[in-house]
């Protein structure tokens, strides 16, 4: 049995001002965002609602401790959280939407808490990567375990998902690059997943098409030209989110989590580090199968023979966002076995979606290939 989930009310706006007016944001609402976004987009509108800035609680990607401190500072009487930001902001809002009697977000991820929804979330993405605005998933660093872990729960679907290309047009190039590559990996992993169905494949392939065509355009015309296609990149991220919500992500995300959890490598960048090596390992272990469909799709979009398509795609991604070896992040090769053991122990949810089985030795070799 395969399942397609699409619990969303998706809204499109030409401007942030139009959204705020249409949603009548005011008393009973609470804005969760970054201070620079608040000053640029929210403050000029002077809404009569409270706000919190996530950087006041810690820098980098969210930890359970950060979420707990934000949860403790939410005032009484909130009915809607207006989450404006990248994946970290949207994921924190989803976690906050669930009641935790102990006050410890970690209990949700360890299965020690039966969640109940207490707030509606309006998810307004300002990057073109996570697709979190249309999924029932979030990820956080569990401080006690020193790794990232994901959670899926239908209670975390945002009440409204709001796409406003204006909000991503000012994104610094590196954040565009790492977030859009994250969206591409969402699309590719969901396409290759054994849980893929015709509907998820439809969204996966369109996301891949939009991103690859966009990458070709900016490589040919200048990397700064990505803003010409801001509306297409935010759509691609959204499509990829719809696809992986049902079909799931897999080993690339699982293998990236120790890098993000221990070394705080940004999520999209960590995914890109292991992407090519993981798919080369897939091709080595199972050269015939769905991977041939991916090669054909890449080949058609990039204008190369199918047997050259994976390497052509990896080369294109590295032009958009050059990769550094793991050693430059301070990672030691003596840690690879521990990383792999942690992935096998804690990321079964993702590994079940692999194109083919990866052993502990395979995972160690993937890390070694990018060291």
């Amino acid at each position: 049995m395969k399942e397609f989930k699409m619990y969303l009310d998706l809204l499109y706006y030409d401007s942030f001002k139009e959204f705020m007016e249409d949603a009548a944001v005011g008393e009973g609402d609470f804005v969760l965002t970054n201070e620079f976004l608040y000053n640029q987009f929210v403050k000029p509108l002077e809404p009569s609602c409270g706000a919190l800035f996530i950087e006041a609680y810690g820098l980098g990607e969210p930890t359970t401790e950060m979420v707990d401190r934000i949860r403790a500072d939410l005032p009484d009487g909130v009915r809607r959280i207006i989450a404006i930001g990248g994946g970290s902001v949207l994921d924190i809002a989803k976690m906050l939407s669930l009641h935790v009697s102990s006050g410890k977000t970690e209990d949700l991820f360890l299965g020690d808490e039966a969640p109940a929804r207490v707030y509606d979330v309006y998810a307004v993405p300002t990057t073109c990567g996570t697709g979190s605005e249309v999924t029932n998933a979030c990820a956080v660093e569990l401080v006690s375990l020193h790794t990232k872990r994901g959670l899926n729960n239908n209670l975390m679907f945002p009440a409204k998902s709001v796409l406003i290309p204006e909000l991503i047009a000012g994104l610094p190039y590196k954040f565009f690059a790492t977030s859009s590559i994250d969206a591409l990996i969402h699309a590719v992993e969901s396409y290759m997943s054994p849980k893929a169905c015709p509907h998820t494949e439809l969204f996966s392939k369109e996301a891949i098409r939009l991103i690859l065509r966009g990458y070709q355009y900016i490589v040919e015309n200048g990397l700064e030209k990505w803003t010409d296609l801001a509306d297409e990149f935010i759509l691609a991220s959204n499509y990829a989110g719809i696809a992986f919500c049902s079909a799931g992500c897999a080993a690339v995300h699982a293998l990236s989590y120790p890098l993000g959890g221990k070394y705080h490598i940004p999520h999209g960048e960590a995914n890109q580090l292991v992407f090519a090596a993981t798919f080369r390992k897939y091709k080595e272990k199972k050269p015939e199968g769905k991977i041939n469909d991916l090669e054909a799709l890449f080949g058609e979009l990039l204008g190369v023979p199918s047997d050259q398509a994976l390497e052509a795609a990896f080369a294109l991604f590295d032009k958009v966002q050059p990769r550094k070896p793991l050693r430059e992040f301070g990672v030691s090769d003596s840690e690879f076995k521990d990383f792999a053991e942690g992935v096998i122990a804690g990321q079964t949810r993702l590994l079940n979606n692999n194109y083919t089985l990866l052993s502990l030795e395979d995972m160690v070799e993937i890390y070694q290939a990018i060291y």
Side-chain angles (χ1 to χ4, degrees):
M1 191 276 287
K2 297 179 179 181
E3 180 181 18
F4 181 66
K5 301 176 184 177
M6 199 170 175
Y7 306 111
L8 73 150
D9 191 349
L10 185 58
L11 309 176
Y12 303 84
Y13 288 97
D14 293 326
S15 72
F16 182 75
K17 182 176 184 290
E18 181 187 0
F19 157 67
M20 291 287 280
E21 291 174 349
D22 197 44
V25 176
E27 296 291 339
D29 295 321
F30 203 84
V31 172
L32 183 73
T33 189
N34 301 101
E35 186 172 8
F36 76 95
L37 290 170
Y38 184 87
N39 290 337
Q40 183 178 0
F41 294 105
V42 183
K43 187 175 180 179
L45 303 177
E46 300 181 341
S48 55
C49 62
L52 283 177
F53 309 137
I54 67 166
E55 60 266 38
Y57 297 84
L59 301 177
E61 296 189 357
T63 68
T64 48
E65 288 182 351
M66 283 174 59
V67 180
D68 290 345
R69 292 198 301 273
I70 296 171
R71 187 187 303 277
D73 285 349
L74 279 177
D76 294 333
V78 173
R79 61 187 177 90
R80 297 187 300 188
I81 296 177
I82 313 299
I84 306 161
S88 293
V89 171
L90 304 190
D91 280 6
I92 289 172
K94 290 180 182 180
M95 288 179 257
L96 295 175
S97 75
L98 300 183
H99 174 68
V100 183
S101 59
S102 66
K104 297 178 66 175
T105 303
E106 191 170 272
D107 289 345
L108 291 171
F109 289 80
L110 298 178
D112 297 330
E113 181 85 20
R117 180 162 163 161
V118 289
Y119 306 121
D120 280 344
V121 172
Y122 280 38
V124 188
T126 61
T127 67
C128 49
T130 69
S132 186
E133 73 275 4
V134 290
T135 74
N136 65 340
C138 66
V140 71
E141 179 190 342
L142 272 65
V143 175
S144 66
L145 299 180
H146 303 290
T147 191
K148 289 183 69 174
R149 188 166 291 184
L151 177 69
N152 292 75
N153 190 298
N154 287 351
L155 295 173
M156 289 195 297
F157 276 109
K160 305 282 185 183
S161 306
V162 186
L163 298 186
I164 311 173
E166 173 191 54
L167 295 183
I168 74 164
L171 203 61
Y173 177 79
K174 180 170 182 178
F175 291 102
F176 153 73
T178 56
S179 65
S180 61
I181 286 174
D182 187 25
L184 178 73
I185 294 169
H186 290 155
V188 171
E189 289 207 292
S190 59
Y191 181 70
M192 296 288 290
S193 169
K195 296 178 184 174
C197 69
H199 286 78
T200 64
E201 288 184 353
L202 182 71
F203 285 101
S204 294
K205 289 192 287 187
E206 183 61 10
I208 291 169
R209 185 189 73 81
L210 287 171
I211 294 171
L212 289 192
R213 292 284 168 83
Y215 283 174
Q216 289 173 301
Y217 174 83
I218 66 175
V219 166
E220 292 170 4
N221 296 281
L223 299 182
E224 74 284 354
K225 291 289 187 178
W226 78 267
T227 55
D228 293 350
L229 304 175
D231 55 343
E232 295 189 13
F233 279 112
I234 200 171
L235 274 178
S237 172
N238 188 263
Y239 293 160
I242 292 171
F244 88 78
C245 181
S246 296
C249 293
V252 174
H253 277 72
L255 291 166
S256 78
Y257 278 171
L259 306 178
K262 183 169 183 180
Y263 288 94
H264 306 291
I265 300 172
H267 177 65
E269 188 171 4
N271 278 340
Q272 188 193 4
L273 289 174
V274 297
F275 183 27
T278 300
F279 273 72
R280 288 179 180 128
K281 180 60 71 174
Y282 279 162
K283 181 68 176 175
E284 172 192 323
K285 297 198 69 174
K286 189 178 179 183
E288 306 294 329
K290 187 71 173 285
I291 200 164
N292 304 131
D293 296 333
L294 180 67
E295 290 173 314
L297 179 59
F298 278 179
E300 177 187 350
L301 293 171
L302 299 177
V304 299
S306 294
D307 61 357
Q308 300 172 23
L310 286 180
E311 294 306 320
F314 300 149
L316 177 62
F317 307 153
D318 287 343
K319 290 179 182 177
V320 172
Q321 175 59 34
R323 285 177 297 141
K324 296 187 296 186
L326 283 184
R327 62 169 62 89
E328 292 192 17
F329 295 94
V331 179
S332 169
D333 58 356
S334 64
E335 299 177 278
F336 294 162
K337 186 170 184 290
D338 288 342
F339 285 173
E341 289 174 344
V343 167
I344 291 170
Q347 304 298 341
T348 303
R349 174 183 67 91
L350 295 171
L351 297 179
N352 285 341
N353 301 326
N354 283 2
Y355 166 65
T356 191
L357 180 68
L358 296 179
S359 67
L360 184 145
E361 291 74 19
D362 293 328
M363 295 180 192
V364 170
E365 288 177 5
I366 289 169
Y367 287 127
Q368 289 172 335
I370 59 175
Y371 182 64

Coordinates of all heavy atoms in Angstrom, one line a residue, residues 233-266:
F233 N 11.8 28.8 -8.3 CA 12.5 28.1 -7.2 C 11.6 27.9 -6.0 O 11.6 26.8 -5.3 CB 13.8 28.8 -6.8 CG 14.9 28.5 -7.8 CD1 15.4 29.5 -8.6 CD2 15.5 27.3 -7.9 CE1 16.5 29.3 -9.5 CE2 16.5 27.0 -8.7 CZ 17.0 28.0 -9.5
I234 N 10.8 28.9 -5.6 CA 9.9 28.7 -4.5 C 8.8 27.6 -4.8 O 8.4 26.8 -3.9 CB 9.3 30.0 -4.0 CG1 8.8 29.9 -2.5 CG2 8.2 30.5 -4.8 CD1 8.4 31.2 -1.9
L235 N 8.4 27.6 -6.0 CA 7.4 26.5 -6.4 C 8.1 25.2 -6.4 O 7.5 24.2 -5.9 CB 6.9 26.8 -7.8 CG 5.7 27.7 -7.9 CD1 5.3 27.9 -9.4 CD2 4.5 27.2 -7.2
A236 N 9.3 25.1 -6.9 CA 10.0 23.8 -6.9 C 10.2 23.3 -5.4 O 10.0 22.1 -5.2 CB 11.4 24.0 -7.5
S237 N 10.6 24.1 -4.5 CA 10.7 23.7 -3.1 C 9.4 23.2 -2.6 O 9.3 22.2 -1.9 CB 11.2 24.9 -2.3 OG 11.2 24.6 -0.9
N238 N 8.3 23.9 -2.9 CA 7.0 23.5 -2.5 C 6.6 22.1 -3.1 O 6.1 21.3 -2.4 CB 6.0 24.6 -2.9 CG 4.6 24.4 -2.4 OD1 3.7 23.8 -3.0 ND2 4.4 24.8 -1.1
Y239 N 6.8 22.0 -4.4 CA 6.5 20.7 -5.0 C 7.3 19.5 -4.3 O 6.7 18.5 -4.1 CB 6.8 20.7 -6.5 CG 6.0 21.6 -7.3 CD1 6.4 22.1 -8.6 CD2 4.7 22.1 -6.9 CE1 5.7 22.9 -9.4 CE2 4.0 22.9 -7.7 CZ 4.4 23.3 -8.9 OH 3.7 24.2 -9.7
A240 N 8.6 19.8 -4.1 CA 9.4 18.8 -3.5 C 8.9 18.4 -2.1 O 8.9 17.3 -1.6 CB 10.8 19.2 -3.4
G241 N 8.4 19.5 -1.3 CA 7.8 19.2 0.0 C 6.6 18.3 -0.1 O 6.4 17.4 0.7
I242 N 5.7 18.6 -1.1 CA 4.5 17.8 -1.2 C 4.9 16.3 -1.5 O 4.3 15.4 -1.0 CB 3.6 18.4 -2.4 CG1 3.0 19.7 -1.9 CG2 2.5 17.4 -2.7 CD1 2.3 20.5 -3.0
A243 N 6.0 16.1 -2.3 CA 6.4 14.8 -2.7 C 7.0 14.0 -1.5 O 6.6 12.9 -1.2 CB 7.4 14.9 -3.8
F244 N 7.9 14.7 -0.8 CA 8.6 13.9 0.3 C 7.7 13.8 1.5 O 7.9 12.9 2.3 CB 10.0 14.5 0.6 CG 10.1 15.5 1.6 CD1 10.0 15.2 3.0 CD2 10.3 16.9 1.3 CE1 10.1 16.2 3.9 CE2 10.4 17.9 2.2 CZ 10.3 17.5 3.6
C245 N 6.7 14.6 1.6 CA 5.7 14.4 2.7 C 5.1 13.0 2.7 O 4.9 12.4 3.8 CB 4.6 15.5 2.6 SG 3.4 15.4 4.0
S246 N 4.9 12.5 1.5 CA 4.3 11.1 1.4 C 5.4 10.0 1.2 O 5.4 9.0 1.8 CB 3.3 11.1 0.3 OG 2.2 11.9 0.6
A247 N 6.3 10.3 0.2 CA 7.3 9.3 -0.2 C 8.5 9.3 0.7 O 9.2 8.3 0.8 CB 7.7 9.5 -1.6
G248 N 8.8 10.4 1.4 CA 9.9 10.4 2.4 C 11.2 10.7 1.8 O 11.4 10.6 0.6
C249 N 12.1 11.1 2.6 CA 13.5 11.2 2.3 C 14.3 10.0 2.8 O 13.7 9.1 3.4 CB 14.1 12.5 2.9 SG 13.5 14.0 2.2
A250 N 15.6 9.9 2.5 CA 16.3 8.6 2.7 C 17.7 8.8 3.2 O 17.9 9.7 4.0 CB 16.2 7.8 1.5
A251 N 18.6 8.0 2.7 CA 20.0 8.0 3.3 C 20.7 9.3 3.2 O 21.5 9.6 4.1 CB 20.8 6.9 2.5
V252 N 20.5 10.1 2.2 CA 21.2 11.4 2.1 C 20.9 12.2 3.4 O 21.8 12.7 4.0 CB 20.9 12.2 0.9 CG1 21.5 13.6 0.9 CG2 21.3 11.4 -0.4
H253 N 19.7 12.3 3.7 CA 19.3 13.1 4.9 C 19.8 12.4 6.2 O 20.3 13.0 7.1 CB 17.8 13.3 5.0 CG 17.3 14.4 4.2 ND1 17.2 14.4 2.8 CD2 16.8 15.6 4.6 CE1 16.8 15.6 2.4 NE2 16.5 16.3 3.4
A254 N 19.7 11.1 6.2 CA 20.1 10.3 7.4 C 21.6 10.5 7.7 O 22.0 10.8 8.8 CB 19.8 8.8 7.2
L255 N 22.4 10.4 6.6 CA 23.8 10.5 6.7 C 24.3 12.0 7.0 O 25.4 12.2 7.6 CB 24.5 10.0 5.5 CG 24.4 8.5 5.2 CD1 24.8 8.2 3.8 CD2 25.3 7.7 6.2
S256 N 23.5 12.9 6.7 CA 23.8 14.3 6.9 C 23.6 14.7 8.4 O 24.2 15.7 8.9 CB 23.0 15.3 6.0 OG 21.7 15.4 6.4
Y257 N 22.7 14.0 9.1 CA 22.3 14.5 10.4 C 23.4 14.5 11.4 O 23.5 15.4 12.2 CB 21.1 13.6 10.9 CG 19.8 14.0 10.4 CD1 18.6 13.3 10.6 CD2 19.6 15.2 9.7 CE1 17.4 13.6 10.2 CE2 18.4 15.6 9.2 CZ 17.3 14.8 9.5 OH 16.0 15.2 9.0
P258 N 24.3 13.5 11.4 CA 25.5 13.7 12.4 C 26.3 14.9 12.1 O 26.9 15.5 13.0 CB 26.3 12.3 12.2 CG 25.3 11.4 11.6 CD 24.3 12.2 10.8
L259 N 26.4 15.2 10.8 CA 27.3 16.4 10.4 C 26.6 17.7 10.9 O 27.3 18.6 11.4 CB 27.4 16.5 8.9 CG 28.0 15.2 8.2 CD1 28.1 15.4 6.7 CD2 29.4 14.9 8.8
G260 N 25.3 17.8 10.8 CA 24.6 18.9 11.3 C 24.5 19.0 12.8 O 24.7 20.0 13.4
G261 N 24.3 17.8 13.4 CA 24.1 17.7 14.8 C 25.4 18.0 15.6 O 25.4 18.8 16.6
K262 N 26.5 17.4 15.2 CA 27.8 17.6 15.9 C 28.6 18.8 15.5 O 29.2 19.5 16.3 CB 28.6 16.4 15.9 CG 29.9 16.5 16.7 CD 30.6 15.2 16.8 CE 31.9 15.3 17.7 NZ 32.6 14.0 17.9
Y263 N 28.6 19.0 14.1 CA 29.5 20.1 13.6 C 28.7 21.3 13.1 O 29.3 22.3 12.6 CB 30.3 19.5 12.5 CG 31.4 18.6 13.0 CD1 31.2 17.2 13.1 CD2 32.6 19.1 13.5 CE1 32.1 16.4 13.7 CE2 33.6 18.3 14.1 CZ 33.3 16.9 14.1 OH 34.3 16.1 14.7
H264 N 27.4 21.3 13.3 CA 26.5 22.4 13.0 C 26.7 22.9 11.5 O 26.6 24.1 11.2 CB 26.8 23.6 13.9 CG 26.6 23.1 15.4 ND1 25.4 22.8 15.9 CD2 27.5 22.9 16.3 CE1 25.6 22.4 17.2 NE2 26.9 22.5 17.5
I265 N 27.0 21.9 10.6 CA 27.0 22.3 9.2 C 25.5 22.5 8.8 O 24.7 21.7 9.0 CB 27.6 21.1 8.4 CG1 29.0 20.9 8.8 CG2 27.6 21.4 6.9 CD1 29.7 19.6 8.2
P266 N 25.3 23.6 8.1 CA 23.9 23.9 7.7 C 23.3 22.8 6.9 O 23.9 22.1 6.2 CB 24.0 25.2 6.8 CG 25.2 25.8 7.3 CD 26.2 24.7 7.7

